[in-house]
Amino acid sequence: MKKMFEKAKSSLEDAKSQFPSAQRRQQQPMKQQDTPSTIQPPTPLDVLRYRYHHGTNLGGIFVLERWMHGSMFEPGAQGGSEIDAVNASIAARGVDATRQRWESHWSSALSGSDIDFLVNTARCTSIRLPIGYFTLGAKYTVNTPFAGTPSQIYTSAWTAVQNLCSRLHSAGIGTLVDFHALPGGANGEEHSGTSSGRADLWGNRSNLELAKNCILFIASEVASGKVPGCIGIQLCNEAVYGAAGMYEWYSDIIRAVSQIDASIPLYISDAWDLNTALSWSAQQNSVSSPTNSIVVDTHKYYTFSEADRAQSPQQIIARIPSELNEVAGKSGSVVDRGAAQAVVGEWSCVLDGSTWAKAQGANRDDLVRQFGNAQCYSWREKSAGSFFWTAKMDWMDGGEWGFFEMTKKGAVVPPPGLELGFEDVKARISTATQQWQDLKARAVQVHVEYWNRTSPGVYFEHWRFEQGWDVGFSDALTFFGMRVNGGIEGGRNGGDRIGGLELWVRKRLRESGTGGGFVWEWEQGFRQGVGRFEGLVGL
């Protein structure tokens, strides 16, 4: 108990540096009066969407890349993109044979044993699934390189996506539908669907409108339950740096999707500028905003730049703890700053040959393991989730690009809570439940005493802190126990934690109906309740 008291006291001292007095505290605009609370226990879908995402991409399935799936490219295919593979196959085999070949590629993307590995060995919670506008069928290919004959290959592509999502959901794995290949290209790379080398999405009204219509179709399908286990929709992948009109386009889509279903988390590319994207998303994610939760997708690779290639593996590993520092100062108080939440949508254990040449004789496997472990830890500490690139390729198990191989070699490791057994999770929940009321009473006492000491005679509403603490502790317990209580399919081992905490706080604040000048007390109580539960059960 003394240890818990000291931890709570330390948390309040941290808060003091942010909010040194009640008079100086600044909240974002809030409703002035309370409204009825609509808070209900977190649902299985809430847990799928807001738990920490320990995941992998399933790249190269619905958006081909030659370096991963060269077997899908005819010997004479020009270029390494989806359209290059399709056109070459149609020319060599005809439409019907090509369609059958593509359908087989989609349906065989993950075998039953693959999914068993993801669930029981990798402890994977989520898949990021890249798709293209052509995946949605001929209607969405008009005036694009996929119009006409190529579009005939994709008549069942969206159904294949739905079937895959359903299989994953039945195994307890959620799916982030990643709109990876957009009309014209959000970037000039081949994973945008063509080999044009141009990012012609931006500044092109026709392409932007078509991309919007694609996203609205996906949102409608998700809202109607046709994409089981969908944890969110990513609006675009790897937008070029400084993409003209990108944030205006994001805003337009967010408004439109919110009219369909404001509960679907929407993921945006940071366009290689995480700080700006986080600041913009925090404005969208204010407590007063009725629109979808916005998550910022950032990618972390250490093999492509000359600066990375100039360093040794040891030097790059030493940099990892300071990565994602853009998040610092933007989290911790949704009431004041809005919710800024990032995921690492792509990362790997790959380093360039010139980097390995500087390893000074150190064992490569050991360094790869250190590199992967350092990233896993940093992404868990500073983000709402991470998705390794990638799961499947012709050359399985994929080396340092392969989620399967890196998991088997211990370079990619799940959060500790996911490896707990059924009885262990139940026992920890029982212990936490028994201590709940005593811990809450002590936390409230410490909170009240702190503000009485630092701001004597000032009016507060400390009962809001107590309410928030209760909800936070309860929510964290529900997330942790959802598997063992049978709320998530695919096995009953492991315990999840709230990964997208900033956005979950925003969601619960809105549902709480809390208004007036002391909403911050509810939020601080909620955060302490979450933290206290997670500390008790060892997350």
Side-chain angles (χ1 to χ4, degrees):
M1 186 64 72
K2 181 179 178 182
K3 184 176 180 182
M4 181 281 298
F5 178 86
E6 291 301 323
K7 185 174 180 180
K9 183 177 178 182
S10 174
S11 297
L12 287 171
E13 290 300 323
D14 291 342
K16 182 179 177 182
S17 67
Q18 293 180 346
F19 315 117
S21 74
Q23 291 90 336
R24 289 176 59 188
R25 189 175 184 87
Q26 298 293 318
Q27 287 189 167
Q28 290 186 330
M30 299 284 167
K31 60 179 181 289
Q32 292 305 303
Q33 294 183 339
D34 290 350
T35 55
S37 172
T38 60
I39 284 182
Q40 297 292 325
T43 66
L45 184 57
D46 287 333
V47 174
L48 283 177
R49 287 176 170 176
Y50 288 94
R51 65 184 175 181
Y52 182 81
H53 300 304
H54 175 66
T56 181
N57 284 270
L58 189 56
I61 303 303
F62 293 97
V63 181
L64 285 172
E65 296 182 56
R66 190 170 198 156
W67 70 277
M68 291 191 294
H69 292 280
S71 62
M72 295 296 290
F73 289 75
E74 298 293 330
Q78 300 297 310
S81 70
E82 176 86 21
I83 192 65
D84 299 316
V86 164
N87 283 337
S89 182
I90 291 172
R93 303 167 184 256
V95 170
D96 291 342
T98 296
R99 184 189 304 111
Q100 291 173 9
R101 193 170 183 223
W102 257 241
E103 289 173 351
S104 176
H105 180 65
W106 302 329
S107 64
S108 63
L110 289 176
S111 67
S113 61
D114 289 335
I115 292 179
D116 181 73
F117 177 88
L118 292 174
V119 172
N120 295 310
T121 301
R123 307 295 184 187
C124 178
T125 67
S126 318
I127 293 285
R128 181 173 179 258
L129 182 63
I131 67 168
Y133 60 95
F134 39 85
T135 311
L136 306 181
K139 176 181 176 181
Y140 297 97
T141 65
V142 176
N143 296 324
T144 77
F146 287 86
T149 302
S151 72
Q152 298 176 38
I153 307 306
Y154 302 94
T155 54
S156 66
W158 179 244
T159 299
V161 169
Q162 294 170 303
N163 290 340
L164 179 57
C165 291
S166 181
R167 292 177 62 214
L168 290 167
H169 184 230
S170 294
I173 297 174
T175 302
L176 172 59
V177 179
D178 166 30
F179 195 30
H180 206 81
L182 284 76
N187 56 67
E189 304 300 322
E190 290 179 337
H191 53 68
S192 283
T194 75
S195 301
S196 72
R198 300 190 302 272
D200 285 342
L201 172 69
W202 311 112
N204 184 304
R205 181 177 299 178
S206 176
N207 284 338
L208 290 168
E209 189 64 21
L210 176 55
K212 176 183 176 180
N213 290 337
C214 290
I215 293 167
L216 296 185
F217 168 78
I218 297 169
S220 295
E221 294 282 280
V222 173
S224 60
K226 296 178 181 179
V227 190
C230 178
I231 64 173
I233 302 169
Q234 181 155 347
L235 306 188
C236 78
N237 170 68
E238 290 188 353
V240 290
Y241 180 83
M246 181 182 72
Y247 286 110
E248 290 80 3
W249 184 69
Y250 284 164
S251 295
D252 182 39
I253 290 179
I254 292 165
R255 284 191 297 269
V257 173
S258 293
Q259 296 300 309
I260 297 171
D261 186 347
S263 74
I264 305 169
L266 300 180
Y267 289 62
I268 63 169
S269 167
D270 69 350
W272 308 104
D273 182 357
L274 178 57
N275 193 55
T276 297
L278 285 170
S279 296
W280 183 85
S281 66
Q283 294 174 1
Q284 312 307 306
N285 288 329
S286 68
V287 177
S288 60
S289 171
T291 57
N292 303 70
S293 294
I294 308 304
V295 187
V296 177
D297 170 46
T298 193
H299 295 173
K300 292 294 181 182
Y301 291 117
Y302 300 89
T303 187
F304 297 120
S305 75
E306 291 304 318
D308 290 333
R309 292 168 178 168
Q311 292 190 316
S312 69
Q314 295 90 332
Q315 288 174 309
I316 291 175
I317 292 167
R319 286 165 45 196
I320 301 303
S322 63
E323 292 291 334
L324 296 185
N325 278 350
E326 297 92 337
V327 175
K330 292 185 172 66
S331 59
S333 180
V334 174
V335 167
D336 295 299
R337 294 184 287 271
Q341 197 86 71
V343 297
V344 181
E346 294 182 18
W347 66 284
S348 78
C349 289
V350 175
L351 296 172
D352 189 75
S354 57
T355 290
W356 285 115
K358 301 175 181 67
Q360 300 178 327
N363 181 273
R364 178 165 177 153
D365 283 344
D366 288 344
L367 288 175
V368 169
R369 188 162 46 251
Q370 292 173 34
F371 183 39
N373 290 178
Q375 290 184 86
C376 286
Y377 180 80
S378 284
W379 309 157
R380 287 203 304 266
E381 290 298 301
K382 298 178 184 179
S383 78
S386 62
F387 299 84
F388 193 89
W389 188 274
T390 186
K392 300 302 290 289
M393 56 278 289
D394 284 349
W395 34 284
M396 291 295 288
D397 280 340
E400 289 146 14
W401 286 109
F403 182 73
F404 282 65
E405 183 163 341
M406 291 297 94
T407 296
K408 291 174 182 177
K409 290 186 173 180
V412 176
V413 292
L418 298 182
E419 299 192 282
L420 298 174
F422 177 87
E423 294 299 335
D424 197 353
V425 172
K426 295 289 283 188
R428 294 181 191 216
I429 288 174
S430 177
T431 299
T433 301
Q434 292 170 21
Q435 299 183 48
W436 185 337
Q437 296 306 316
D438 288 343
L439 292 174
K440 180 179 66 173
R442 172 55 72 178
V444 172
Q445 180 183 351
V446 171
H447 176 81
V448 171
E449 289 176 351
Y450 172 82
W451 288 108
N452 285 347
R453 184 173 68 252
T454 58
S455 301
V458 176
Y459 174 78
F460 292 98
E461 294 178 355
H462 296 317
W463 56 270
R464 295 189 187 276
F465 175 90
E466 182 174 359
Q467 281 188 346
W469 198 100
D470 243 348
V471 176
F473 194 93
S474 177
D475 282 0
L477 187 155
T478 301
F479 270 69
F480 185 65
M482 186 63 76
R483 293 169 183 258
V484 300
N485 291 322
I488 292 178
E489 299 183 64
R492 300 180 71 178
N493 291 318
D496 289 290
R497 69 176 177 88
I498 303 171
L501 182 60
E502 301 303 307
L503 291 171
W504 186 252
V505 168
R506 170 184 179 260
K507 182 177 187 294
R508 295 312 244 176
L509 272 172
R510 288 182 54 78
E511 293 169 347
S512 74
T514 305
F518 295 93
V519 181
W520 63 272
E521 289 206 71
W522 197 99
E523 178 179 356
Q524 291 303 310
F526 183 91
R527 289 179 181 274
Q528 284 196 32
V530 170
R532 194 67 195 100
F533 176 85
E534 292 184 347
L536 270 177
V537 300
L539 293 181

